[in-house]
Amino acid sequence: MRPLHTVPSRLEVVLGILAADWARMIPDETIAEIRERMDIVELIGEYVRLSKSGASFKGLCPFHAEKTPSFYVHPQRRFFHCFGCQASGDVFSFLTQLEGISFPEAARRLASKTGVEIPEANAAESAERSRRKRREERLVDVMDAAAGFFAESLRTHRWASFARTMCEERGVSAEFIKRFRLGYAPHGWDGLVRFLQERGTSMEDAETMGLVAPRRGGGGHYDRFRHRLMFPIADHQGRIIAFSGRELPPPPGDDARETPKYINSPESPLYTKGSVLFGLHEGRVQTRREGYALICEGNFDLVKLHQAGFGNSVAPMGTALTAEQATLLRRFADRVVLLFDGDRAGRSAVRSAHPILAKAGLQCSVVGLPPGDDPDSFLTEHGEEALRERVSSAPNIVEYLIDQGAAESIGDPAKKAAAIESLGPVLRAVDNPVEVRLYVERVAQRFEVRDIDAVRRQLRRGLRQGQRRRRSPEKAPAEAPTPRTEKRTFNPIELELLGVFVDQPRLLDSAEAERFASVLTDPDLRAILQATSRMVGSCGEVEASALTAEFAGNPALSWLEGRLVQPSAGDEESARSVLLQSLPRLEARAREREALDLQKRAFEARRQGNDELADELTRQRLELLRQGVRP
């Protein structure tokens, strides 16, 4: 049986899913090898709880909030698809979409998991990259070992009861102590030093990561963290890169001395405090699913929020929110909710965060907590549902700042004037002129100033700058989403039979495939049949990610993605039976259409006086009718 279409090379199929720049950076053969070696169920299973469902696995989609699983993974086709939000792709697109990383970064991470070597174009660059990678892996290993030491000390050290008691008093459960790998830095000077030396760890590496410090007089090192409750800080990849140590009451016999409430790791080759968000790794899936991140300030606040079900919570590390942190958040969500302490410092932090979040293109709302409350105390006193209600009804940040300014300046004209003036930079970050006009009116209303022109004069410097449109920051070069088109209805028989060939591609080399191709009328479905036949002829199988990459904008793309992850449960024999039952119906409809067309053409020919042509067309129609078509 001849193939339905001319067969392109395998290279053309594989390159169909890669942008030109990516293909130049990493050879297509390497990409194909990584895809084949990486178990997509194992990878996605690190983020989503999957259960077997026929030939596929299913679970709750990590890309949107849902209560009933509509997310499917097909291991043989190395492909995933969500019937709810339409997210789909292979291992590369899963990582780029979920982690917000570039394609090359995803490829290198998967290559590391699968043992595939990515060739470097330049030998010197390759050697330097390998050197940096080895050092980075060594430093990560030191931090992981320290986290294990602190966690074990929390269970066994004689003074760890102070740390355990603090966790109990703050209501942190054993489950979340384990989830966040909380630990105890032992009382004394060299507990960690001795542990690291016994395992052969380089003290230079430990010093680089801020775990130990050299003794002033020389001759060794001492622990930087001593008698503290330890919070490991992971980057968004899950690597521990820093620690935050909480002060504890002194043990018996130890003189009480004033020490900082928190000691954080110094910056290092792995850690820049303004670029990391505590809790992002633990909450990245829920953040992606919820569509927003909840930003708090304290370590305990963060852990308690996760424990209360707000797993999309993150916290800056001992610093005000930075542009780097906002850009990092933008990879995972397009909206944030600020949940800072209900004191003056918290309100000041909201004002400072506004221009940073606006520049990053993040929509922002603010939860107002009662004065003196922080997220932890509010949860303890009022409970999860009360906080959830506040989050869901939180005003946007501009409205919040206007209301706060008005509330803090009641009855004092000078304070009102200063507060209105201070809102100029706030409105400057609003890039919609209509919104600016409405906010000006709101300022006048909330501050009870009838002369709106006076309000405009007070705000005019900020408003003039606010008319300039801000440029949206560039996102990390993640894989572009597949363009979608409006849904339309397809012939159910054509869909059913096309699905048979997608499920059982060996049937493409059969007489039934030829018959189906001759009567398939829908051009979008025909394109899928042609591409599937072409791919099977070239590769010997259906490569799901390459196949779907060919149909951006095709109205049948969503159907194809769903069929690839959830094929019919039947075998090849039952599939052939479906063809033999349904093909005659489709062929009969095709003959009906042709007979009707012949009848119209014969009528038109006779109307124009061409009886000879009309008779010939009528004869052809009668021949079709004799094949079993009712007139």
Side-chain angles (χ1 to χ4, degrees):
M1 181 67 61
R2 65 179 176 82
L4 293 176
H5 310 283
T6 304
V7 176
S9 68
R10 179 182 177 86
L11 177 61
E12 291 174 322
V13 175
V14 175
L15 290 184
I17 66 167
L18 301 176
D21 288 344
W22 294 345
R24 285 196 296 271
M25 293 175 69
I26 303 173
D28 55 285
E29 295 87 354
T30 305
I31 295 297
E33 184 179 2
I34 293 171
R35 184 185 294 108
E36 290 169 4
R37 284 197 188 186
M38 186 69 240
D39 184 337
I40 190 170
V41 173
E42 177 185 336
L43 174 69
I44 294 179
E46 295 178 10
Y47 303 82
V48 180
R49 182 171 297 179
L50 297 172
S51 59
K52 197 80 167 64
S53 178
S56 306
F57 290 80
K58 69 177 180 180
L60 294 174
C61 179
F63 299 107
H64 80 289
E66 63 178 9
K67 295 182 179 179
T68 302
S70 62
F71 180 83
Y72 284 77
V73 184
H74 196 287
Q76 281 71 43
R77 287 174 174 159
R78 300 180 284 276
F79 193 73
F80 71 88
H81 176 68
C82 175
F83 290 90
C85 69
Q86 309 302 313
S88 65
D90 60 5
V91 289
F92 298 102
S93 37
F94 182 83
L95 272 189
T96 56
Q97 290 175 40
L98 188 67
E99 296 281 13
I101 59 178
S102 67
F103 184 92
E105 186 178 347
R108 295 188 189 283
R109 198 182 296 185
L110 293 171
S112 177
K113 284 178 171 287
T114 57
V116 175
E117 192 74 28
I118 296 181
E120 299 285 350
N122 183 290
E125 289 181 5
S126 177
E128 176 61 20
R129 184 186 293 275
S130 296
R131 186 193 68 79
R132 289 200 306 267
K133 182 180 179 182
R134 286 194 299 271
R135 186 190 187 211
E136 188 174 286
E137 289 175 345
R138 204 171 62 240
L139 296 178
V140 169
D141 178 66
V142 172
M143 297 299 279
D144 193 63
F149 170 76
F150 294 142
E152 180 63 22
S153 297
L154 183 63
R155 291 188 292 271
T156 61
H157 195 277
R158 63 172 179 161
W159 299 129
S161 57
F162 288 90
R164 294 194 298 270
T165 298
M166 179 170 286
C167 288
E168 291 170 6
E169 290 174 347
R170 301 298 290 266
V172 179
S173 68
E175 176 188 348
F176 278 81
I177 288 174
K178 183 178 180 180
R179 181 174 300 186
F180 281 88
R181 298 186 69 179
L182 303 191
Y184 170 69
H187 183 269
W189 290 93
D190 61 356
L192 179 61
V193 167
R194 286 186 285 108
F195 168 78
L196 293 176
Q197 287 175 335
E198 288 172 3
R199 73 185 298 270
T201 298
S202 162
M203 285 296 104
E204 181 181 351
D205 288 344
E207 185 179 338
T208 297
M209 295 309 297
L211 293 171
V212 302
R215 296 183 182 275
R216 291 182 181 178
H221 294 78
Y222 64 90
D223 296 349
R224 180 183 294 273
F225 299 99
R226 302 181 302 278
H227 191 57
R228 286 182 177 267
L229 173 62
M230 301 298 289
F231 294 81
I233 309 300
D235 63 11
H236 67 281
Q237 299 180 42
R239 307 177 306 173
I240 294 175
I241 57 173
F243 289 95
S244 181
R246 172 64 160 85
E247 179 188 31
L248 295 170
D254 191 8
D255 294 334
R257 57 187 181 278
E258 194 170 325
T259 58
K261 185 176 180 179
Y262 278 97
I263 294 179
N264 296 328
S265 293
E267 295 196 349
S268 70
L270 299 182
Y271 173 57
T272 304
K273 66 180 180 179
S275 301
V276 176
L277 287 163
F278 181 34
L280 181 59
H281 172 71
E282 292 82 0
R284 67 200 185 286
V285 173
Q286 187 166 337
T287 298
R288 179 77 73 180
R289 185 179 293 152
E290 298 283 352
Y292 76 94
L294 197 60
I295 304 178
C296 63
E297 290 181 299
N299 292 359
F300 271 115
D301 289 338
L302 185 284
V303 176
K304 287 292 294 294
L305 283 166
H306 276 248
Q307 183 173 302
F310 298 92
N312 53 334
S313 303
V314 298
M317 284 306 304
T319 180
L321 191 72
T322 67
E324 291 81 2
Q325 290 165 336
T327 302
L328 177 61
L329 272 179
R330 190 66 179 82
R331 296 185 184 183
F332 298 88
D334 56 12
R335 186 167 68 90
V336 299
V337 176
L338 299 182
L339 184 58
F340 294 157
D341 294 356
D343 53 15
R344 183 173 295 275
R347 294 192 293 275
S348 176
V350 170
R351 184 179 293 272
S352 300
H354 176 244
I356 294 169
L357 295 170
K359 188 174 181 180
L362 286 161
Q363 299 177 39
C364 179
S365 301
V366 183
V367 173
L369 293 179
D373 259 345
D374 57 28
D376 181 10
S377 63
F378 186 88
L379 277 170
T380 301
E381 184 174 350
H382 302 284
E384 172 191 338
E385 286 307 314
L387 181 58
R388 199 170 295 281
E389 287 178 10
R390 291 205 174 210
V391 170
S392 63
S393 61
N396 74 55
I397 191 168
V398 178
E399 293 175 348
Y400 173 86
L401 290 172
I402 292 173
D403 290 345
Q404 281 296 319
E408 292 174 359
S409 59
I410 293 175
D412 189 325
K415 284 185 177 180
K416 278 189 178 184
I420 292 172
E421 185 174 353
S422 72
L423 289 168
V426 174
L427 297 186
R428 181 178 56 202
V430 179
D431 62 2
N432 187 310
V434 174
E435 287 186 57
V436 171
R437 180 179 293 274
L438 293 173
Y439 283 133
V440 170
E441 294 175 357
R442 184 178 179 87
V443 170
Q445 179 185 23
R446 289 292 288 114
F447 282 83
E448 299 179 341
V449 178
R450 294 183 179 181
D451 187 352
I452 197 168
D453 289 333
V455 172
R456 288 195 181 98
R457 286 194 297 271
Q458 197 75 357
L459 292 166
R460 65 183 182 273
R461 181 178 301 175
L463 289 177
R464 278 200 305 268
Q465 296 174 352
Q467 299 304 315
R468 293 185 294 177
R469 298 190 60 84
R470 305 185 313 276
R471 292 184 178 180
S472 298
E474 293 184 2
K475 299 179 190 178
E479 187 163 296
T482 303
R484 300 286 172 181
T485 58
E486 291 185 7
K487 291 183 178 180
R488 65 178 181 82
T489 303
F490 294 93
N491 183 315
I493 299 179
E494 291 187 351
L495 276 181
E496 178 187 29
L497 296 184
L498 179 58
V500 167
F501 291 108
V502 172
D503 293 346
Q504 302 292 339
R506 285 192 296 181
L507 292 177
L508 287 164
D509 192 29
S510 68
E512 288 77 18
E514 288 289 335
R515 291 169 58 189
F516 180 54
S518 68
V519 295
L520 180 58
T521 59
D522 190 288
D524 295 313
L525 299 186
R526 175 177 288 277
I528 292 175
L529 178 68
Q530 292 171 346
T532 305
S533 177
R534 192 168 60 234
M535 177 178 290
V536 172
S538 172
C539 309
E541 63 178 351
V542 173
E543 293 187 349
S545 56
L547 181 62
T548 55
E550 294 192 29
F551 297 109
N554 187 314
L557 176 59
S558 181
W559 170 86
L560 175 61
E561 292 168 335
R563 189 75 183 208
L564 287 168
V565 297
Q566 202 175 20
S568 172
D571 56 14
E572 185 176 328
E573 194 58 38
S574 61
R576 190 183 296 274
S577 176
V578 171
L579 290 177
L580 294 177
Q581 290 175 12
S582 298
L583 267 174
R585 294 161 57 198
L586 202 60
E587 290 167 332
R589 290 189 180 187
R591 290 195 296 270
E592 287 176 349
R593 286 193 302 271
E594 187 177 355
L596 182 60
D597 180 64
L598 288 170
Q599 185 180 34
K600 290 179 180 178
R601 290 169 58 196
F603 176 81
E604 182 63 22
R606 204 169 300 281
R607 190 180 66 81
Q608 295 178 3
N610 191 342
D611 291 337
E612 184 179 352
L613 177 58
D615 290 343
E616 174 58 25
L617 293 172
T618 300
R619 186 193 65 76
Q620 292 178 19
R621 176 175 176 270
L622 291 173
E623 180 63 29
L624 278 175
L625 295 178
R626 279 194 290 271
Q627 295 177 28
V629 180
R630 293 189 301 273

